[in-house]
């Protein structure tokens, strides 16, 4: 379950405290001034209160979820720290998908990404006995430091939700994931008109998404040791970035072009 925390009350949590949540996630976009700038005055205090209450009633799998953007790249490690203090035992760090209100201009720079990840990993090491990265964390496995790679931390996350989940809008539109909603011609059908089974089997959109092979990935993905593990990461971000399903992961490509992609994650003589 994912929530902004505004409607999470003690009464609600008492009703669901015996539910075996795989993840109960509250969005935290920054310390108070940044979070409230993004989500409105008072939203930070409500989100932190929701984290504390969820930790008390649910005991485990309570996550803070943050999306890395230009506005909060300098303080992601602070978000991890304050979320842990509020009771979160899981942290989900996700990269921005330019969909809905989010735009490509909100992407952090390659330098901001590298600095932010270094700070997050340092804080994670300090807190690692009390918090873990969530399965929906979208840090590409090639970008983890060697010690966390050796511990297998970088291979515990699902970087692309398709085909494990699909997205359905309130109007019934179906897409491979919510990142494909918008002006991208990637609507597979409408659940008000066809069954999910028919859309899954007949949709050109799903057929195209399923046929994307890892060996067809372009750019740095084709030169990466994790090419066949992460399959290029988020395909929605790649498609929005280059309008191709086999485009490289935009985060990894940005870092590679800036000379900041980890050399130990590259195959030899591939680019």
């Amino acid at each position: 379950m994912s929530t902004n925390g505004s409607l999470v009350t003690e009464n609600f949590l008492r009703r669901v405290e015996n539910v075996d949540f795989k993840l109960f996630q509250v969005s935290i976009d920054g310390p108070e001034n940044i979070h409230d700038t993004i989500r409105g005055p008072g939203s930070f205090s409500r989100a932190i209160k929701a984290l504390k209450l969820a930790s008390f009633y649910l005991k485990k799998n309570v996550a803070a979820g943050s999306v890395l953007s230009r506005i909060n790249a300098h303080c992601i490690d602070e978000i991890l720290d304050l979320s842990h203090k509020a009771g979160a035992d899981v942290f989900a760090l996700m990269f921005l998908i330019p969909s809905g209100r989010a735009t490509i201009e909100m992407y952090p720079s390659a330098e901001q990404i590298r600095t932010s990840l270094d700070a997050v990993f340092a804080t994670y090491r300090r807190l690692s006995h009390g918090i873990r990265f969530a399965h929906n964390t979208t840090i590409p496995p090639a970008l983890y430091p060697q010690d966390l790679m050796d511990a297998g931390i970088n291979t515990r996350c699902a970087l692309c939700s398709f085909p494990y989940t699909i997205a359905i809008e309130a109007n019934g539109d179906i897409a491979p994931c919510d990142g494909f909603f918008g002006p991208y011609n990637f609507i597979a059908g409408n659940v008000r008109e066809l069954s999910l089974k028919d859309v899954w089997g007949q949709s050109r959109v799903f057929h195209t998404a399923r046929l994307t092979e890892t060996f067809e990935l372009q750019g740095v993905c084709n030169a990466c040791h994790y090419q066949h593990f992460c399959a290029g990461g988020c395909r929605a971000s790649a498609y929005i970035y280059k309008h191709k399903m086999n485009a490289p992961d935009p985060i990894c490509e940005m870092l590679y072009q800036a000379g900041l992609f980890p050399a130990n994650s590259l195959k030899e003589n591939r680019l």
Side-chain angles (χ1 to χ4, degrees), residues 58-78:
L58 303 180
K59 309 302 183 187
K60 63 178 182 177
N61 299 333
V62 176
S66 300
V67 175
L68 179 64
S69 68
R70 187 173 290 270
I71 192 172
N72 66 6
H74 67 285
C75 61
I76 291 292
D77 57 322
E78 185 179 347

Side-chain angles (χ1 to χ4, degrees), residues 179-191:
F180 279 112
F181 287 132
Y184 308 117
N185 299 315
F186 246 78
I187 302 301
N190 190 288
V191 75

Side-chain angles (χ1 to χ4, degrees), residues 113-226:
I113 293 169
R114 187 67 271 171
T115 300
S116 179
L117 288 180
D118 288 345
V120 164
F121 292 138
T123 302
Y124 177 80
R125 290 186 187 99
R126 178 168 56 83
L127 302 176
S128 60
H129 293 295
I131 201 164
R132 70 182 191 278
F133 284 120
H135 66 272
N136 59 328
T137 291
T138 59
I139 303 172
L143 303 185
Y144 286 74
Q146 190 62 54
D147 62 317
L148 298 187
M149 287 184 176
D150 292 342
I153 305 297
N154 65 324
T155 59
R156 298 177 185 174
C157 305
L159 302 181
C160 186
S161 59
F162 183 81
Y164 309 107
T165 63
I166 59 174
I168 303 175
E169 272 278 38
N171 66 359
D173 282 346
I174 305 168
C177 77
D178 55 2
F180 279 112
F181 287 132
Y184 308 117
N185 299 315
F186 246 78
I187 302 301
N190 190 288
V191 75
R192 301 178 189 271
E193 300 168 1
L194 293 169
S195 70
L196 280 175
K197 181 179 179 181
D198 287 340
V199 173
W200 179 263
Q202 300 171 18
S203 165
R204 175 193 58 81
V205 166
F206 281 160
H207 182 70
T208 299
R210 286 194 296 265
L211 282 183
T212 303
E213 298 284 354
T214 56
F215 65 81
E216 297 174 337
L217 293 171
Q218 298 177 341
V220 69
C221 291
N222 192 254
C224 180
H225 283 301
Y226 293 94

